[in-house]
């Protein structure tokens, strides 16, 4: 297990220790008030771990406390890892950001775009632009998620069995064929919509590398970085480290059996968009690799120039998500926030009324996990819990504020 231990006093790296304790006191209320079962939070500055704490339990029935070795379902925090995998292949010259994905996935050769009508009988037109690799990385391909419940195409996904998961027995290749047969929400590159694009990207990684996605991750990313507890399934003898996933009901927190099953059985479909489990110690190593420009402890996955490209805004016209994106649920404001190659990217903290830095990049997961990297302040922060849906509480913006207000140098 990749360990995560405090190795610096806050004042050594320009943080006020008393102010930093506000992180714990704030999130402790979520446990005390019965809004979360438990959580972990980790904060670093200049590569030093200055804060790592836990509260609550992983199982309300057994009162098992949150500890250092909890294995969390990180859901969409898988997406940055898949994006790194794709960019590693770009660096090797095996793919290019402008490549039409039909070169690797022929089922996407003739996409059609929704223009009107119900899900049962939609009117469509041919796409005027092929879906390109950068469209997948930026969620501008025109793909969607069934769980959005915002558009007829979302309903088409649901009728085919794709809402939060996939039909039983379906693998990634088959899922991509189904998605390719569905109409796109819009012409590729013309809007932003959070979607299965990163799952399709994972399939591109498989086809180009000749490896299953789990093999590529283990051999090229998680293995070299020492992320020993990160994968698509928790070994049977380690299942006791996996928390239950909770949701709020009229009677209070209740375990969600469907989500709690994630990670207990090896999945047929390897979801590059949301399939991984990980620990705070493991994901810490991933964030440090990003903060250090693609390298950690002598292991280099990406060039610093590649990480810099990934963490710039790629939305056309330097638009933010508020103006370029579909109006969907969001854990925090999309004003002044763009999107790079796998990450949200802060363009203007003033526009977003956010206590953070321009250039901060981040993402989170369905079960309310979140991370961000602030290169300007050399800060990383991670929050782990297991609560769905992630849009319920303002965890991400509060975490940023509570960390930044402790910076005093």
């Amino acid at each position: 297990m990749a360990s995560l231990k405090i190795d610096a006093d806050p004042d050594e790296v320009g943080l006020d220790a008393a102010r930093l304790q506000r992180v714990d006191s704030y999130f402790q209320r979520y446990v005390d008030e019965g809004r979360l079962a438990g959580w972990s939070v980790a904060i670093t500055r200049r590569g030093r771990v200055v804060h790592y704490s836990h509260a609550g339990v992983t199982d309300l029935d057994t009162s098992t406390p949150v500890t250092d070795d909890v294995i969390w379902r990180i859901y969409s925090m898988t997406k940055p890892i898949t994006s790194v995998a794709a960019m590693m292949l770009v660096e090797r010259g095996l793919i290019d950001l402008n490549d039409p994905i039909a070169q690797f996935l022929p089922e996407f050769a003739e996409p059609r775009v929704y223009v009107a009508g119900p899900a049962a009988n939609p009117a469509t037109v041919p796409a005027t632009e092929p879906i390109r690799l950068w469209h997948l990385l930026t969620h501008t391909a025109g793909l969607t998620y069934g769980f959005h419940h915002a558009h007829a195409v979302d309903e088409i996904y649901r009728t085919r069995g794709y809402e939060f998961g996939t039909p039983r027995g379906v693998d990634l290749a088959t899922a991509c064929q189904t998605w390719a047969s569905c109409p796109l929400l819009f012409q590729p590159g013309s809007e932003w919509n959070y979607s299965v694009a990163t799952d399709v990207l994972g399939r591109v990684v498989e086809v180009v590398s000749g490896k299953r996605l789990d093999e590529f991750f283990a051999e090229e990313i998680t293995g070299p970085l020492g992320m020993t507890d990160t994968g698509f399934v928790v070994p049977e003898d380690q299942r006791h480290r996996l928390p239950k996933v909770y949701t709020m009901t009229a009677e209070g927190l209740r375990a969600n059996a469907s989500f709690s099953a994630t990670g207990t059985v090896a999945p047929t479909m390897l979801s590059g968009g949301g399939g991984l489990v990980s620990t705070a110690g493991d994901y810490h190593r991933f964030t440090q690799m990003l903060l250090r420009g693609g390298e950690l402890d002598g292991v280099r996955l990406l060039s610093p120039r590649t990480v810099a490209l990934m963490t710039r805004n790629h939305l056309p016209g330097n638009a933010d998500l508020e103006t370029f994106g579909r109006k969907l649920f969001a854990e925090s404001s999309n004003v002044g926030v763009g999107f790079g190659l796998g990450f949200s990217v802060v363009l203007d903290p003033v526009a977003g009324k956010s206590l953070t830095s321009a250039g901060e990049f981040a993402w989170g997961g369905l079960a309310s996990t979140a991370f961000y990297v602030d290169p300007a302040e050399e800060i990383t922060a991670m929050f782990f819990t297991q609560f769905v849906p992630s849009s319920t509480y303002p965890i991400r913006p509060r975490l940023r504020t509570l960390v930044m207000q402790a910076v005093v140098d």
Side-chain angles (χ1 to χ4, degrees):
M1 181 181 73
S3 62
L4 181 56
K5 303 295 182 184
I6 294 174
D7 60 7
D9 291 330
D11 60 4
E12 294 180 59
V13 290
L15 298 176
D16 183 299
R19 283 177 162 264
L20 201 55
Q21 288 304 315
R22 293 176 178 175
V23 175
D24 288 359
S25 60
Y26 174 80
F27 286 114
Q28 180 66 47
R29 293 201 294 272
Y30 278 80
V31 173
D32 295 343
E33 296 168 5
R35 290 186 285 166
L36 292 177
W39 51 259
S40 287
V41 64
I43 301 161
T44 79
R45 194 176 198 208
R46 299 170 187 160
R48 309 286 295 280
V49 181
V50 295
H51 190 89
Y52 183 38
S53 58
H54 321 294
V57 300
T58 61
D59 186 329
L60 290 171
D61 293 332
T62 63
S63 298
T64 304
V66 177
T67 56
D68 292 353
D69 70 345
V70 171
I71 299 174
W72 306 94
R73 300 167 187 84
I74 62 171
Y75 290 107
S76 287
M77 281 168 58
T78 304
K79 287 180 170 70
I81 296 176
T82 305
S83 300
V84 165
M87 294 307 293
M88 291 170 73
L89 298 179
V90 169
E91 286 194 335
R92 297 170 192 178
L94 299 176
I95 51 178
D96 184 86
L97 289 175
N98 285 312
D99 284 343
I101 65 170
Q103 291 184 18
F104 319 107
L105 307 178
E107 59 267 32
F108 286 96
E110 297 180 356
R112 297 189 65 83
V113 180
Y114 173 95
V115 290
N121 187 31
T124 64
V125 296
T128 57
E129 165 83 0
I131 300 174
R132 301 182 187 277
L133 190 70
W134 76 267
H135 294 142
L136 297 181
L137 283 154
T138 58
H139 293 280
T140 58
L143 301 166
T144 192
Y145 271 124
F147 63 71
H148 285 327
H149 292 261
H151 193 279
V153 177
D154 306 343
E155 184 180 345
I156 293 172
Y157 277 48
R158 293 195 301 275
T159 61
R160 299 192 183 187
Y162 296 87
E163 187 168 4
F164 285 104
T166 57
R168 187 183 300 274
V170 169
D171 63 10
L172 181 55
T174 303
C176 286
Q177 291 166 2
T178 299
W179 296 328
S181 72
C182 298
L184 302 177
L185 265 71
F186 45 77
Q187 294 289 346
S190 66
E191 296 184 51
W192 185 93
N193 186 71
Y194 196 44
S195 71
V196 298
T198 316
D199 289 297
V200 178
L201 185 67
R203 180 58 183 158
V204 172
V205 170
E206 289 191 328
V207 171
V208 173
S209 69
K211 300 177 181 179
R212 283 168 43 110
L213 195 59
D214 55 351
E215 294 171 345
F216 189 94
F217 284 171
E219 295 172 16
E220 306 272 4
I221 300 176
T222 59
L225 288 180
M227 298 168 64
T228 56
D229 284 313
T230 300
F232 287 96
V233 64
V234 179
E236 188 171 355
D237 63 352
Q238 299 297 314
R239 301 271 166 82
H240 61 281
R241 298 166 57 191
L242 195 62
K244 288 182 178 178
V245 178
Y246 287 89
T247 192
M248 187 59 70
T249 69
E251 294 75 35
L253 287 175
R254 291 292 182 269
N256 185 303
S258 176
F259 286 111
S260 295
T262 303
T264 62
V265 178
T268 304
M269 195 193 98
L270 300 174
S271 172
L276 290 178
V277 298
S278 189
T279 62
D282 276 11
Y283 213 85
H284 162 72
R285 294 189 63 77
F286 182 70
T287 62
Q288 293 307 298
M289 177 275 295
L290 294 170
L291 180 64
R292 291 166 56 94
E295 178 273 338
L296 182 66
D297 294 340
V299 173
R300 179 165 293 283
L301 301 187
L302 294 171
S303 157
R305 303 299 187 274
T306 300
V307 175
L309 179 67
M310 294 178 73
T311 54
R312 293 180 63 183
N313 185 29
H314 284 253
L315 300 184
N318 203 36
D320 67 6
L321 289 170
E322 182 68 19
T323 56
F324 198 76
R326 290 276 166 138
K327 297 299 183 282
L328 303 170
F329 71 90
E331 287 81 358
S332 54
S333 171
N334 285 327
V335 177
V337 178
F339 204 85
L341 303 179
F343 311 90
S344 63
V345 181
V346 173
L347 305 176
D348 186 352
V350 174
K353 305 299 183 286
S354 178
L355 191 58
T356 189
S357 306
E360 175 232 276
F361 58 95
W363 206 240
L366 175 67
S368 303
T369 60
F371 84 96
Y372 76 87
V373 177
D374 182 340
E377 295 290 349
E378 297 180 86
I379 285 172
T380 70
M382 305 181 298
F383 186 90
F384 296 93
T385 189
Q386 301 283 253
F387 178 90
V388 294
S390 60
S391 55
T392 305
Y393 306 130
I395 289 172
R396 299 185 199 185
R398 294 294 190 275
L399 179 64
R400 291 176 173 92
T401 296
L402 291 162
V403 174
M404 187 64 94
Q405 61 84 35
V407 178
V408 292
D409 71 350

